[in-house]
């Protein structure tokens, strides 16, 4: 699965003979043409470069590709790939420009631009589209969803909490098992960690470390699941809870316990709120109660109200109620952008502070996105034939939204500090926000995970 030659669409293999005679260079770009969100957090290109473009194509790769594609019934450009192997040691003769990762970029702007660096490889620019576009749209879309959730949570914390302390841990990634592959979960989880620091997706930690140098990008806590609670049997539910406190409780420690295996209200009112209340109060840490079924808005509100009835509450400086430090709630079922907003609004109406609740988000974070969420596309915009550049574009009368950009492109910030895509030949003395990050096998610009986080945090 790591043969880069085969990391493409079948029809791409026939394109090397479809360009006009004399074609020397092809320039293409990637953009979000719109979609659900007006801005995107750009992320993922460096991971793709390190994982795929920093490794050379080998003779074995070429041999395998020829066998597979010939049997598949499509042409194979063996001469082209053997030229890359001999002239560039198997590294792709491409130049890639991109905005810094972590940039909050308005839609309809160029975020990546790629062209071949060798006139004998003009076919290569579009050949890489499948792999490159996928490497951009997925982590960028996940980072964008995560960023949008963060904006909502932050707004409610600013309105109902004394501070936004702890915001980085208010949305926890529960999405590993719902992702389509281990690589998807790794890239998506790393994208989420651009905005937050809570995750249960271990592969995301490895991606952040391997591709962006993060020693430890995210954190978690001991937590129960239904099997560990129900294995004790219904009559011993309280013993299962008490065991969690014994195993993981203590000064400044946090632990999460799913509490709806049988009867959530009994667990809150009688077990946590009566039988084990002194254990919780005296452990000097924090128990996080997790309801896991029912309507999220109703269940979260009722859960916190019942916990307050048993454990008490205080009013913060903004007049909203807060549970004691020993007890909090995490909602991990039915969580998405809309339900987060609805839950926090319901709590606000009840004069309950957003600091009482954290969220766990699974499939909605890592899996329920697609290329059309932000209408991502990679299109050729310029071609050089016999030494002369000319525009390449599409302009379908049946769908103006698919009209593509023309010419070699640049990205600038205008007088109002807003991003604007222009033609490269109009750049003049203006600064191009696109930075050359890759050329002929070399990673020319590397961003640390911390730098990406800082850039993402600076933008709203």
């Amino acid at each position: 699965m790591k043969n880069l030659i085969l990391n493409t669409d079948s029809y791409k293999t026939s394109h090397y003979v479809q360009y006009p005679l004399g074609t020397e260079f092809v320039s293409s770009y990637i953009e979000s043409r719109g979609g659900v969100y007006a801005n995107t957090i750009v992320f993922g290109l460096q991971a793709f470069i390190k994982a795929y473009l920093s490794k050379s194509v080998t003779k074995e790769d070429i041999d395998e590709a020829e066998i597979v594609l010939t049997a598949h019934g499509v042409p194979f450009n063996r001469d082209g790939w053997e030229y890359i192997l001999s002239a560039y040691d198997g590294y792709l003769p491409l130049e890639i420009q991109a905005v810094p990762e972590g940039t909050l970029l308005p839609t309809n702007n160029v975020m990546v631009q790629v062209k071949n660096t060798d006139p004998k490889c003009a076919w290569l620019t579009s050949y890489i589209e499948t792999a490159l576009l996928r490497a951009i749209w997925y982590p960028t879309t996940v980072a964008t969803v995560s960023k949008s959730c963060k904006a909502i949570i932050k707004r409610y914390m600013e309105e109902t909490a004394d501070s936004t302390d702890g915001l980085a841990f208010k949305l926890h990634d529960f999405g590993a098992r719902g992702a389509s592959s281990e690589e998807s979960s790794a890239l998506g989880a790393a994208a989420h960690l651009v905005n937050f620091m809570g995750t249960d997706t271990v592969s995301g930690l490895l991606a952040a470390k391997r591709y962006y140098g993060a020693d430890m990008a995210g954190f978690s806590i001991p937590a129960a699941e239904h099997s560990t609670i129900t294995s004790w049997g219904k009559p011993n539910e309280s013993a299962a809870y008490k065991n969690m406190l014994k195993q993981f409780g203590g000064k400044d420690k946090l632990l999460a316990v799913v509490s709806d295996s049988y009867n959530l209200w009994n667990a809150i009112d009688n077990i946590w709120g009566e039988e084990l209340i002194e254990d919780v109060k005296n452990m000097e840490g924090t128990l996080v109660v997790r309801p896991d079924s029912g309507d999220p808005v109703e269940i979260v509100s009722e859960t916190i109200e019942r916990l307050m009835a048993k454990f008490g509450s205080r009013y913060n400086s903004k007049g909203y109620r807060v549970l004691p430090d020993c007890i909090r709630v995490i909602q991990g079922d039915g969580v998405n952008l809309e339900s987060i907003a609805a839950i926090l609004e319901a709590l606000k109406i009840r004069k309950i502070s957003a600091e009482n609740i954290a969220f766990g988000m699974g499939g909605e974070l890592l899996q329920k996105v697609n290329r059309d969420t932000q209408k991502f596309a990679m299109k050729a915009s310029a071609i050089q034939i016999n030494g002369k550049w000319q525009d390449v574009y599409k302009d379908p009368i049946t769908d103006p939204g698919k009209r593509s950009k023309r010419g070699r492109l640049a990205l600038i910030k205008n007088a109002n500090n807003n991003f604007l895509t222009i033609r490269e030949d109009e750049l003049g003395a203006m600064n191009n926000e696109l930075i050359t990050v890759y050329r002929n096998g070399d990673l020319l610009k590397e961003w640390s995970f911390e730098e990406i986080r800082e850039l993402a945090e600076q933008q709203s």
Side-chain angles (χ1 to χ4, degrees):
M1 299 295 285
K2 288 292 187 179
N3 187 337
L4 188 59
I5 303 174
L6 296 173
N7 193 352
T8 191
D9 289 309
S10 300
Y11 80 138
K12 292 286 188 182
T13 65
S14 66
H15 292 175
Y16 70 103
V17 292
Q18 295 185 29
Y19 291 100
L21 191 64
T23 297
E24 298 161 324
F25 297 96
V26 174
S27 181
S28 297
Y29 71 97
I30 293 175
E31 71 171 331
S32 165
R33 297 183 295 199
V36 176
Y37 305 97
N39 302 281
T40 58
I41 286 285
V42 181
F43 182 73
L45 177 58
Q46 184 169 297
F48 175 72
I49 291 173
K50 286 189 173 184
Y52 292 91
L53 301 188
S54 296
K55 299 176 181 178
S56 61
V57 169
T58 66
K59 183 181 183 299
E60 290 73 23
D61 291 333
I62 296 172
D63 291 341
E64 179 188 39
E66 182 173 37
I67 293 170
V68 170
L69 295 174
T70 301
H72 184 47
V74 295
F76 178 61
N77 185 12
R78 186 175 185 101
D79 289 343
W81 286 107
E82 286 189 337
Y83 174 75
I84 290 172
L85 179 60
S86 62
Y88 296 94
D89 294 323
Y91 295 100
L92 301 194
L94 294 172
E95 178 182 280
I96 301 176
Q97 297 174 299
V99 296
E101 298 198 31
T103 297
L104 185 65
L105 185 68
T107 58
N108 295 298
N109 279 296
V110 55
M111 64 176 64
V112 176
Q113 185 167 236
V114 56
K115 70 178 181 69
N116 57 296
T117 59
D118 188 317
K120 294 182 180 180
C121 299
W123 54 272
L124 187 59
T125 300
S126 288
Y127 194 94
I128 200 69
E129 174 190 351
T130 306
L132 182 59
L133 181 59
R134 183 174 54 220
I136 297 298
W137 82 253
Y138 174 68
T140 294
T141 304
V142 173
T144 301
V145 172
S146 175
K147 176 76 169 179
S148 300
C149 292
K150 187 175 186 178
I152 290 174
I153 298 170
K154 182 180 180 182
R155 174 164 61 87
Y156 277 95
M157 290 188 74
E158 290 173 340
E159 292 174 357
T160 70
D162 284 333
S163 74
T164 57
D165 292 348
L167 176 60
F169 292 95
K170 286 296 185 180
L171 184 63
H172 203 87
D173 172 14
F174 284 174
R177 72 192 62 183
S180 58
S181 69
E182 198 270 345
E183 185 178 49
S184 293
S185 68
L187 294 172
H192 167 70
L193 289 171
V194 169
N195 304 298
F196 290 93
M197 297 184 72
T199 187
D200 260 31
T201 305
V202 176
S203 56
L205 306 176
L206 301 180
K209 180 178 179 65
R210 184 172 298 150
Y211 304 128
Y212 296 94
D215 289 334
M216 181 47 61
F219 302 89
S220 189
I221 61 174
E225 69 175 20
H226 287 293
S227 73
T228 63
I229 298 301
T230 57
S231 64
W232 291 70
K234 186 174 181 180
N236 298 310
E237 183 181 6
S238 63
Y241 295 165
K242 190 176 184 66
N243 179 64
M244 287 294 296
L245 297 178
K246 176 184 176 182
Q247 297 294 338
F248 305 112
K251 185 174 176 58
D252 299 326
K253 293 183 177 180
L254 289 87
L255 68 150
V257 182
V258 63
S259 301
D260 73 326
S261 295
Y262 306 108
N263 184 333
L264 175 63
W265 310 133
N266 177 66
I268 293 172
D269 295 343
N270 299 316
I271 302 177
W272 293 124
E274 293 288 344
E275 185 176 347
L276 300 178
I277 190 168
E278 294 304 318
D279 299 76
V280 174
K281 288 181 176 180
N282 294 331
M283 75 170 180
E284 300 184 275
T286 301
L287 166 69
V288 184
V289 173
R290 178 163 72 93
D292 197 45
S293 55
D295 177 79
V297 177
E298 295 178 4
I299 295 300
V300 168
S301 298
E302 185 68 13
T303 293
I304 296 176
E305 290 280 18
R306 286 180 180 243
L307 287 171
M308 286 181 169
K310 293 295 182 178
F311 286 85
S313 64
R314 63 176 176 83
Y315 283 92
N316 63 22
S317 64
K318 294 181 179 177
Y320 289 86
R321 291 180 288 160
V322 184
L323 283 162
D325 292 343
C326 65
I327 190 92
R328 287 291 184 270
V329 174
I330 184 168
Q331 174 65 22
D333 179 60
V335 174
N336 55 41
L337 187 71
E338 291 74 22
S339 66
I340 289 173
I343 290 168
L344 292 174
E345 180 62 25
L347 295 181
K348 181 182 176 182
I349 290 171
R350 290 174 179 247
K351 302 300 288 185
I352 296 174
S353 173
E355 61 197 282
N356 294 289
I357 181 77
F359 300 93
M361 193 167 169
E364 291 280 354
L365 180 64
L366 299 191
Q367 191 65 21
K368 288 190 179 179
V369 296
N370 57 55
R371 186 166 68 92
D372 290 332
T373 301
Q374 288 305 114
K375 300 180 180 179
F376 268 90
M378 176 171 163
K379 297 299 176 186
S381 60
I383 190 169
Q384 181 176 302
I385 303 174
N386 296 323
K388 183 178 180 181
W389 281 100
Q390 60 188 57
D391 292 350
V392 176
Y393 64 95
K394 60 180 288 187
D395 191 6
I397 63 170
T398 51
D399 190 349
K402 291 188 174 182
R403 182 183 299 121
S404 64
K405 292 175 168 53
R406 310 182 185 194
R408 284 280 295 169
L409 304 173
L411 184 70
I412 64 167
K413 286 187 175 180
N414 62 19
N416 296 321
N417 206 38
N418 295 322
F419 286 107
L420 180 66
T421 298
I422 64 172
R423 297 176 64 98
E424 188 180 64
D425 52 22
E426 297 173 347
L427 190 60
M430 292 183 288
N431 181 59
N432 190 355
E433 300 294 328
L434 296 178
I435 298 170
T436 301
V437 297
Y438 171 90
R439 186 185 295 114
N440 298 354
D442 294 324
L443 179 63
L444 302 180
K445 172 62 181 178
E446 183 169 358
W447 283 282
S448 71
F449 203 71
E450 192 58 37
E451 288 174 325
I452 295 169
R453 272 180 166 164
E454 288 176 0
L455 180 58
E457 183 64 26
Q458 292 168 8
Q459 305 162 99
S460 58

